[in-house]
Amino acid sequence: MVKKIERSEEEWKKILTPEQYAILREKRTEMPFTGKLLANKEKGTYNCAACGQEIFASDKKFDSQSGWPSFYDVISSDSIELVDDNSHFMHRIEVLCGSCGSHLGHVFDDGPKPTGKRYCINSAAMQFEDKE
Ligand code: FE
């Protein structure tokens, strides 16, 4: 089970950078092709930048050409929470951190085999942990 973390928005504001806060807590999206983890090919895990929960592993990362770091699977299904997102006149599935509830990105059904999923995640919402 993933440990649930709750903090007030005031606390998050103190802990996170303004860019991280805008994405993780206000569900903003970073500009495509700008994130520092987009081209990262090191071995390790991608953790929630707000609480450190491990979300993705480098062996499931792929180049989706979308401009955002993309993965075709999560490390564990309880490390995330999926919610319907009907903002911006579309229906999308939002990916939240299963531990602290922060916004990470969205998941789409046009990913590669074997899952067919494309987790499209903001670079600034994650912290890379080198595990070489
Ligand atoms: Fe988190």
Side-chain angles (χ1 to χ4, degrees):
M1 272 299 286
V2 165
K3 191 169 163 248
K4 297 281 180 196
I5 293 172
E6 275 189 47
R7 284 186 195 278
S8 69
E9 291 308 314
E10 282 312 302
E11 287 178 285
W12 285 127
K13 240 175 217 168
K14 280 181 202 153
I15 297 168
L16 303 170
T17 67
E19 186 199 21
Q20 287 174 328
Y21 186 85
I23 294 168
L24 289 157
R25 306 304 310 174
E26 299 181 317
K27 306 179 189 294
R28 298 285 295 273
T29 299
E30 70 196 5
M31 294 287 287
F33 300 102
T34 60
K36 68 179 196 310
L37 295 174
L38 178 61
N40 184 39
K41 290 195 164 58
E42 302 299 309
K43 269 189 198 165
T45 59
Y46 291 82
N47 307 342
C48 171
C51 75
Q53 171 68 42
E54 290 188 353
I55 314 276
F56 299 102
S58 52
D59 61 344
K60 307 287 193 307
K61 189 173 190 273
F62 72 102
D63 182 6
S64 67
Q65 318 266 315
S66 68
W68 292 282
S70 300
F71 304 84
Y72 61 84
D73 208 357
V74 287
I75 291 175
S76 155
S77 59
D78 42 282
S79 64
I80 54 161
E81 204 175 308
L82 300 177
V83 232
D84 281 311
D85 173 9
N86 292 309
S87 65
H88 303 288
F89 307 100
M90 333 176 224
H91 174 253
R92 292 178 295 171
I93 311 270
E94 184 187 355
V95 181
L96 303 178
C97 171
S99 177
C100 74
S102 292
H103 172 82
L104 303 174
H106 290 89
V107 59
F108 302 94
D109 285 323
D110 56 9
K113 286 178 182 174
T115 62
K117 297 290 179 191
R118 170 172 60 97
Y119 292 87
C120 187
I121 306 296
N122 289 286
S123 191
M126 301 184 291
Q127 244 161 10
F128 181 68
E129 189 180 339
D130 212 307
K131 295 217 170 137
E132 192 80 63

